[in-house]
Amino acid sequence: MQAEIINGLEIRKAILEEIKTETAEIKAKYGVVPGLVTILVGENPASVSYVTLKVKTAESMGFNEIQVNMSADCTEQELLDMVEKYNKDDSVHGILVQLPLPKHIDENKIIYAIDPDKDVDGFHPVNVGRLCLGGEHVKFPPCTPAGIVEMLNRKNINTNGAEVVIVGRSNLVGKPLANMLCRKGKGANATVTLVHTGTKDLASHCRRADILVAAAGCPDLIKPEWVKPGACVIDVGVNRVGEKISEKTGKKVAILKGDTDFEAISKIAGYVTPVPGGVGPMTIAMLMKNTLNSLKFKLGLI
Ligand code: NAD
């Protein structure tokens, strides 16, 4: 069996087209566009490239994008003041502080300071609580797990009654994803098992998964013999395993690898996601969707 490759880049393209169209329609009808503030502290190269992509994507959606660059030695209070400035700004519907922050700044303090109704990353405890309550309470599902659910639904992969095994219990991926997939309703309703470093027999859990999500951050953790034939394998892992020279730019770039052995698993699974080009592109699409939804909540459209 040769698995179907789920192309995250293609799905992202389709979602972004929808967001762009809806943004133009809202602008024509209400005279407003989503406003997104991205706050970058310092010059960590990975953070700079993530923020640059977010800024460019938001601009291409027709959003009002405000990029704030703060120096790595700014104080915690200066960052809190910046967040508060945009909490109060009615033209801003989403505030994103790029993580990680320099060590002298308490990340939780900053996340807690963001207005939960502008927290488009979905990290504020109020939004974590809303996600746990489910249904109409949910406002901003965190972008990576939301992207995975969107991906499954757009590929018509049945989650109803499916055995889903998620490897990794982080607040960023594993836990919120488990919450989203075990909910009652269309596109969810799965039987979810969350496995982690404390799990006794990882292989036995993985083997019974109809949908196996690897979000551990360990290259090649998931062995091909742990995959049920025909299963859907979603690889969230992004592991830097070396460097190479890019053919496009001639510059040094990281060699990325997921948590699964893509080639071997492709011969067993029904669906697989590549790394890069699978889950990664979905995250930014869902950030744009959350930002648009924030404006729609404000306008009473949802
Ligand atoms: P994390 O380190 O916070 O959590 C990893 C989880 O995996 C932990 O709960 C741990 O218990 C579990 N784990 C680790 N090793 C294990 C093992 N050997 N056996 C069983 N469980 C194990 O990481 P995270 O933030 O959840 O990210 C996970 C991976 O996903 C990373 O590679 C990260 O780069 C990637 N990621 C990708 C995206 C994206 O957009 N594509 C977004 C977020 C994270």
Side-chain angles (χ1 to χ4, degrees):
M1 169 174 238
Q2 191 62 38
E4 179 178 337
I5 297 171
I6 306 179
N7 187 333
L9 291 163
E10 265 175 22
I11 304 174
R12 173 176 71 181
K13 199 171 162 213
I15 296 170
L16 292 182
E17 278 304 320
E18 292 162 16
I19 293 172
K20 200 172 166 181
T21 305
E22 215 181 335
T23 299
E25 284 167 4
I26 289 176
K27 186 179 179 186
K29 200 162 176 194
Y30 299 92
V32 279
V33 295
L36 175 67
V37 174
T38 42
I39 304 177
L40 174 67
V41 182
E43 289 170 3
N44 172 313
S47 295
V48 171
S49 77
Y50 287 139
V51 167
T52 306
L53 185 62
K54 288 168 189 175
V55 168
K56 279 189 182 158
T57 309
E59 286 171 350
S60 71
M61 294 297 97
F63 292 4
N64 177 27
E65 159 65 42
I66 303 166
Q67 194 193 344
V68 179
N69 291 313
M70 300 183 71
S71 80
D73 58 4
C74 77
T75 65
E76 189 176 88
Q77 191 55 50
E78 282 167 339
L79 181 53
L80 287 168
D81 290 345
M82 190 61 77
V83 168
E84 191 50 23
K85 174 181 165 184
Y86 290 110
N87 278 343
K88 288 187 184 142
D89 184 336
D90 281 344
S91 70
V92 168
H93 310 100
I95 301 172
L96 180 147
V97 179
Q98 185 65 42
L99 303 178
L101 291 170
K103 288 206 172 13
H104 67 282
I105 298 178
D106 181 345
E107 276 185 6
N108 282 339
K109 216 167 166 182
I110 304 303
I111 291 169
Y112 290 20
I114 298 172
D115 178 347
D117 289 340
K118 297 189 179 188
D119 166 42
V120 285
D121 260 337
F123 295 160
H124 192 286
V126 167
N127 285 315
V128 177
R130 286 169 171 164
L131 187 80
C132 291
L133 290 169
E136 78 278 8
H137 298 281
V138 182
K139 211 156 188 187
F140 303 120
C143 302
T144 301
I148 295 169
V149 174
E150 187 82 18
M151 191 175 229
L152 293 171
N153 292 340
R154 286 190 184 234
K155 291 302 289 182
N156 286 321
I157 292 164
N158 181 40
T159 54
N160 188 16
E163 289 283 343
V164 174
V165 175
I166 303 169
V167 186
R169 58 179 154 188
S170 73
N171 290 333
L172 190 63
V173 188
K175 273 197 266 179
L177 181 62
N179 229 304
M180 291 161 91
L181 286 174
C182 74
R183 253 188 246 152
K184 206 168 181 175
K186 212 171 161 258
N189 217 22
T191 303
V192 181
T193 308
L194 197 61
V195 295
H196 43 74
T197 42
T199 299
K200 275 186 191 150
D201 184 358
L202 201 58
S204 72
H205 289 286
C206 293
R207 273 192 199 109
R208 57 179 178 74
D210 301 313
I211 299 172
L212 177 59
V213 182
C218 292
D220 290 338
L221 173 68
I222 308 298
K223 310 289 172 243
E225 59 274 21
W226 298 2
V227 174
K228 180 166 144 181
C232 171
V233 182
I234 305 285
D235 193 343
V236 190
V238 180
N239 305 296
R240 285 162 203 267
V241 292
E243 283 184 334
K244 61 176 182 185
I245 303 294
S246 160
E247 280 175 21
K248 249 191 198 170
T249 61
K251 287 184 185 165
K252 257 191 198 171
V253 289
I255 301 172
L256 301 180
K257 208 168 186 326
D259 288 353
T260 67
D261 178 345
F262 179 79
E263 294 303 330
I265 281 174
S266 297
K267 296 189 177 77
I268 302 162
Y271 294 90
V272 286
T273 61
V275 177
V279 173
M282 297 298 295
T283 301
I284 195 151
M286 302 321 285
L287 173 69
M288 298 301 133
K289 191 170 178 184
N290 277 351
T291 308
L292 173 61
N293 281 350
S294 181
L295 173 60
K296 286 168 71 180
F297 281 121
K298 202 175 163 198
L299 295 172
L301 300 175
I302 41 177

